[in-house]
Amino acid sequence: LSQDKVFVTQYRDHCINMYKLVGKLTKSVGSEGNGETQFKHPRGLDVSDRNHTIFVCDCYNHRIQILTEELKYHSLLKNDLMKYPLDVKVTLDRVMVLDENDPCMFVFNSDHVLTK
């Protein structure tokens, strides 16, 4: 992933913005909804060092949307126990999701299988 990119969630606008470090908006993706690259109040995000994908807490759709570094849809991380994901941290071997519901933290392995 290029070191000169910054990704920001826009909670009220239901989108993700990509900026250059100099502050220039270079791309925006998303709208309100529950389809691919649609969000309902996105919250925290993190970028995977392993494959440069972007994990976005899609809070009111009860899921994590995974995007490419070009902000294109890649896949979903979803679990029936996860209700309102607020923040996410991605490491080389796990994905940790802080959920507002209990509050609690869900831990997924690198294959996105719930472990805790």
Side-chain angles (χ1 to χ4, degrees):
L1 185 66
S2 173
Q3 295 297 319
D4 67 339
K5 294 178 185 175
V6 176
F7 300 94
V8 179
T9 60
Q10 296 290 23
Y11 179 80
R12 287 187 182 11
D13 293 331
H14 313 283
C15 66
I16 310 301
N17 292 337
M18 180 172 58
Y19 294 90
K20 293 280 188 185
L21 278 180
V22 294
K24 180 179 178 0
L25 177 66
T26 57
K27 189 167 187 176
S28 184
V29 66
S31 60
E32 186 172 7
N34 60 10
E36 295 178 0
T37 67
Q38 291 185 316
F39 304 92
K40 276 194 173 174
H41 302 293
R43 302 295 287 262
L45 62 75
D46 198 15
V47 179
S48 168
D49 288 333
R50 191 168 90 172
N51 60 7
H52 307 295
T53 51
I54 303 158
F55 288 65
V56 181
C57 293
D58 192 0
C59 190
Y60 288 94
N61 279 326
H62 320 289
R63 64 190 184 179
I64 304 293
Q65 273 203 69
I66 305 169
L67 308 176
T68 67
E69 64 180 297
E70 294 83 26
L71 297 181
K72 295 184 187 289
Y73 177 81
H74 181 277
S75 57
L76 284 179
L77 174 58
K78 193 167 179 162
N79 181 284
D80 290 339
L81 299 173
M82 190 168 52
K83 299 300 181 195
Y84 299 102
L86 294 178
D87 208 358
V88 60
K89 176 64 181 162
V90 183
T91 68
L92 291 177
D93 62 346
R94 57 181 79 154
V95 177
M96 295 162 281
V97 178
L98 179 63
D99 194 276
E100 182 180 63
N101 194 41
D102 284 333
C104 63
M105 181 176 291
F106 296 103
V107 179
F108 299 86
N109 66 20
S110 58
D111 295 322
H112 302 165
V113 175
L114 184 65
T115 60
K116 293 182 187 182

